Amino acid sequence: MQTVLSGIRPTGNLHLGNYFGAVKNFIKMQEDNNCFFFIADYHSLTTHPKPDSLQENVKKVLSEYLACGLDPEKSTIYIQSDLPQVAELYLLLNMNAYVGELERTTTFKEKVRKQPENINAGLLTYAVLMAADILIHNAHKVPVGKDQEQHLEMTKKFARRFNQIYEVEYFNIPEAYNFGSELVKVPGLDGTGKMGKSEGNAINLIDEPELIRKKVMKAVTDAGPTSQNQPKPEPIANLFSLMKLVSSKETIEFFDEKYNSCQIRYGDMKKQLAEDIIIFTTPIRERILNIYNDNDYLKKVAQTGKEKAFASGGKTIKEVREIIGFKTF
Ligand code: TYM
């Protein structure tokens, strides 16, 4: 049986990008793998949340994970900070990570541009902590969206380097885990780029129908096609991509036909898209609200996850310490 690991930063609600890029696949994976799914609250400290919002966001994401179908009986669902062994492995891996390679990471360079007032060392070593998350359970497979590909490559590099330095075959070299041939990228509503928590272009699973309608109606479009069968520009292609996730084949064909014959009314298309998203998210939203209000259940899930993660992480850190040469007198 293979070990699969993935995580989500608790910096906001889960959105359609998280669902169709990652969570949907987790549900299938948990059927025949040894799965670890965790909430990356240490990682979220790179943006300095307040204590209340940190705790609140962890609770939200835990409820959302469960409402989407992650099963604590089949998988280990835990909170990163409940596994302090990961912090020790992070420290140890940092000794073999070079500042030059960390500075060249795309996400680090992006953060330097986006948050110049807070370029903390945690941002620089973000990829090392992510490697520690993966290697602490010696995972074989890591499901990620396109945006996390480079981080996974760095994990492979750190795993190989550790094995080389200590002349062992200890860490598995983890591979990306994807169901289709390509990594999924769910677009946002702002015409370009991916749907993201910090981009302000997301539809969250918890959003009320009215809010979904409002967000979708504001999605960027253009003046409409002027010749038959013309290629779709990015904002329009993005609307169709979102439709492919939630609408029926007939609905997509209907609007495709309207576009190709220059008769499309984007207002109608958006109305339909909003209603189809609402049909998709409503049962999930209802489950989130039920689970969110059940503190005893959430506490039990977090406690069970912590114990299972602790057993696995504890074993790894004990073995890593021995390999490095720490001994008790
Ligand atoms: P995060 O929290 O940004 O995203 C969680 C997961 O959702 C995927 N995702 C998307 N997929 C497709 N289209 C989108 N628009 C979209 N937006 C998000 C992400 O690829 C990811 O799979 N650094 C990670 C969290 C993390 C982690 C790990 C992941 C920490 N340690 C170890 C895997 C293994 C992150 O910020 O994901």
Side-chain angles (χ1 to χ4, degrees):
M1 198 186 253
Q2 298 232 297
T3 299
V4 171
L5 173 128
S6 197
I8 292 195
R9 257 173 317 137
T11 48
N13 291 104
L14 289 200
H15 51 69
L16 291 179
N18 296 130
Y19 184 84
F20 287 103
V23 181
K24 181 175 165 235
N25 291 337
F26 297 171
I27 299 166
K28 286 190 243 161
M29 280 168 204
Q30 70 184 351
E31 296 307 322
D32 42 16
N33 294 284
N34 177 25
C35 286
F36 291 88
F37 301 123
F38 73 98
I39 300 173
D41 57 347
Y42 280 150
H43 273 110
S44 70
L45 299 185
T46 54
T47 51
H48 295 176
K50 296 264 180 295
D52 285 352
S53 60
L54 177 66
Q55 174 62 16
E56 175 58 20
N57 279 335
V58 169
K59 188 179 166 191
K60 276 198 275 195
V61 175
L62 182 57
S63 313
E64 290 169 334
Y65 256 165
L66 297 165
C68 287
L70 293 199
D71 183 345
E73 303 275 326
K74 293 182 186 147
S75 305
T76 301
I77 300 167
Y78 68 100
I79 298 156
Q80 189 184 28
S81 62
D82 274 343
L83 183 63
Q85 290 94 336
V86 87
E88 183 172 349
L89 186 57
Y90 167 59
L91 179 150
L92 299 171
L93 292 174
N94 263 321
M95 305 303 171
N96 305 332
Y98 301 113
V99 172
E101 65 192 348
L102 298 174
E103 280 172 342
R104 285 193 295 276
T105 317
T106 313
T107 44
F108 177 67
K109 287 196 279 192
E110 223 176 83
K111 285 284 182 197
V112 169
R113 209 166 33 80
K114 279 194 187 161
Q115 67 178 60
E117 73 296 345
N118 179 18
I119 308 167
N120 55 72
L123 282 175
L124 181 68
T125 56
Y126 189 103
V128 186
L129 181 54
M130 189 154 153
D133 293 327
I134 297 167
L135 300 177
I136 196 79
H137 303 298
N138 221 342
H140 300 93
K141 300 267 181 182
V142 187
V144 278
K146 188 94 191 128
D147 53 323
Q148 300 295 322
E149 212 173 15
Q150 190 183 28
H151 286 155
L152 184 59
E153 285 309 309
M154 294 180 78
T155 300
K156 290 184 194 176
K157 199 192 272 186
F158 298 143
R160 279 198 200 99
R161 197 175 285 158
F162 180 94
N163 288 350
Q164 252 162 21
I165 291 175
Y166 297 104
E167 297 176 1
V168 287
E169 288 295 322
Y170 183 70
F171 285 125
N172 298 319
I173 310 302
E175 291 297 330
Y177 192 143
N178 299 291
F179 278 90
S181 52
E182 296 222 341
L183 295 178
V184 179
K185 182 179 139 192
V186 178
L189 295 168
D190 48 356
T192 55
K194 65 156 193 162
M195 186 174 284
K197 290 183 196 104
S198 45
E199 277 78 0
N201 64 3
I203 295 186
N204 300 319
L205 299 173
I206 190 78
D207 285 349
E208 293 286 340
E210 251 339 285
L211 182 57
I212 294 178
R213 288 189 189 106
K214 228 160 115 183
K215 285 183 177 177
V216 176
M217 291 318 281
K218 277 205 211 139
V220 174
T221 49
D222 61 12
T226 48
S227 58
Q228 300 220 335
N229 300 318
Q230 80 182 51
K232 298 182 182 88
E234 197 183 354
I236 309 305
N238 286 352
L239 277 190
F240 275 93
S241 297
L242 288 170
M243 237 186 185
K244 279 194 189 120
L245 301 173
V246 291
S247 302
S248 71
K249 210 166 138 256
E250 293 72 33
T251 303
I252 298 160
E253 277 168 11
F254 174 82
F255 286 103
D256 212 31
E257 213 286 298
K258 290 275 177 211
Y259 181 86
N260 286 333
S261 57
C262 301
Q263 291 174 318
I264 190 150
R265 286 157 49 148
Y266 292 131
D268 291 349
M269 181 178 177
K270 288 181 186 176
K271 266 191 203 141
Q272 181 68 47
L273 176 61
E275 294 316 309
D276 289 342
I277 292 175
I278 291 165
I279 291 171
F280 175 77
T281 54
T282 296
I284 302 180
R285 187 181 77 252
E286 284 167 359
R287 285 199 298 272
I288 296 172
L289 294 174
N290 279 336
I291 295 172
Y292 180 85
N293 289 317
D294 193 345
N295 266 325
D296 288 346
Y297 175 61
L298 289 174
K299 210 167 143 184
K300 201 170 128 223
V301 169
Q303 185 59 32
T304 311
K306 176 178 170 169
E307 283 161 20
K308 288 202 268 177
F310 221 81
S312 161
K315 177 175 173 291
T316 305
I317 211 71
K318 182 170 174 287
E319 289 166 356
V320 165
R321 281 173 150 267
E322 275 164 20
I323 291 169
I324 291 179
F326 292 115
K327 297 224 162 65
T328 41
F329 282 95

